[in-house]
Amino acid sequence: MLLPILVRESLCCSKNSVLLISSNIQTCIRGLQGKGARGLHSYAQWFLCRRVPSRLNTQIRGAKSRKSQTKQEDEWRKKNKTVLTYITAAGVGMIGMSYAAVPLYRLYCQASGLGGTAVAGHDAEQVETMTPVMDRIIKITFNADTHASMQWNFRPQQSEIYVVPGETALAFYRAKNPTDKPVIGISTYNVVPFEAGQYFNKIQCFCFEEQRLNPKEEVDMPVFFYIDPEFDEDPRMARVDTITLSYTFFEAKEGQKLPLPGYSPISLHS
């Protein structure tokens, strides 16, 4: 049984080591003849321990290296998938936020008066119970603009009115469609000075709502508002005696983006 093993081993080795293995085989045979089975066992053990382990160790190390490399590749694939998932989620979130930014900012401005935006909504009980500050008279002036692409005629019905904090007031704007086709418009507004926007409360207005005018149609648009009595208690408003309410109409088109409140639109004409 020893000779077949040694022969197989010799075939697996390179040509340069054939002579050395043949010499080892002859040494083993002489040991067998001189010392019997025990001597053969010793020589066989010596030979196998000398020649075989080096190749086995090399094969084992190669198998471990391939297994380790495969494991690392699997880990990298998992990490790449995780990173890709996070990037995709972030991209979708950014797209969603870009669409929501303008309406959310507009709602915030309406609630806080930031950027000269009049505060939307009102407390009915406050309107009924607020006390006018009769010794603080404020002039309210009105301005009307249209975007360059808007073909309406748009103007305020009055140039100015005088109010006191805590007193409601009613004003009107007039819009006319001089064209031969229906036109849908939508308006934005702001208040100057910007700091006064948080005290300018509109009870009813036509802003941010689509208005459809048929050919040659003309309509009056009301604005019902009041100045919060706390206006008189704000030190920043001590020298403010004039507030301007300005509206700008745009033609409502698909994909049309309205400017953020509090910023003067470009390309306007009165």
Side-chain angles (χ1 to χ4, degrees), residues 30 67 78 90 92 115 122 157 205 208 229 267:
R30 287 196 300 269
K67 184 177 181 181
K78 291 180 180 179
V92 173
H122 64 283
Q157 287 288 78
C205 76
F208 301 123
S267 303

Side-chain angles (χ1 to χ4, degrees), residues 87-99:
I87 293 175
T88 303
V92 173
M94 291 176 66
I95 294 174
M97 287 299 296
S98 67
Y99 280 100

Side-chain angles (χ1 to χ4, degrees), residues 89-121:
V92 173
M94 291 176 66
I95 294 174
M97 287 299 296
S98 67
Y99 280 100
V102 172
L104 290 176
Y105 179 80
R106 184 174 296 144
L107 291 173
Y108 173 71
C109 290
Q110 291 176 351
S112 63
L114 179 66
T117 304
V119 177

Side-chain angles (χ1 to χ4, degrees), residues 9-24 50-51:
E9 176 62 20
S10 65
L11 292 176
C12 294
C13 297
S14 64
K15 294 180 179 179
N16 294 331
S17 60
V18 170
L19 295 176
L20 179 60
I21 294 176
S22 299
S23 177
N24 290 334
R50 180 182 176 187
R51 302 301 304 173

Side-chain angles (χ1 to χ4, degrees), residues 193-208:
F194 291 164
E195 295 80 6
Q198 60 183 310
Y199 300 110
F200 199 106
N201 292 267
K202 292 192 298 181
I203 301 173
Q204 179 185 358
C205 76
F206 52 86
C207 51
F208 301 123

Side-chain angles (χ1 to χ4, degrees), residues 70-88:
T70 303
K71 184 177 181 180
Q72 289 181 353
E73 291 177 354
D74 293 339
E75 292 178 354
W76 276 110
R77 289 194 187 96
K78 291 180 180 179
K79 290 181 179 179
N80 290 339
K81 288 182 180 179
T82 302
V83 172
L84 181 60
T85 301
Y86 283 133
I87 293 175
T88 303

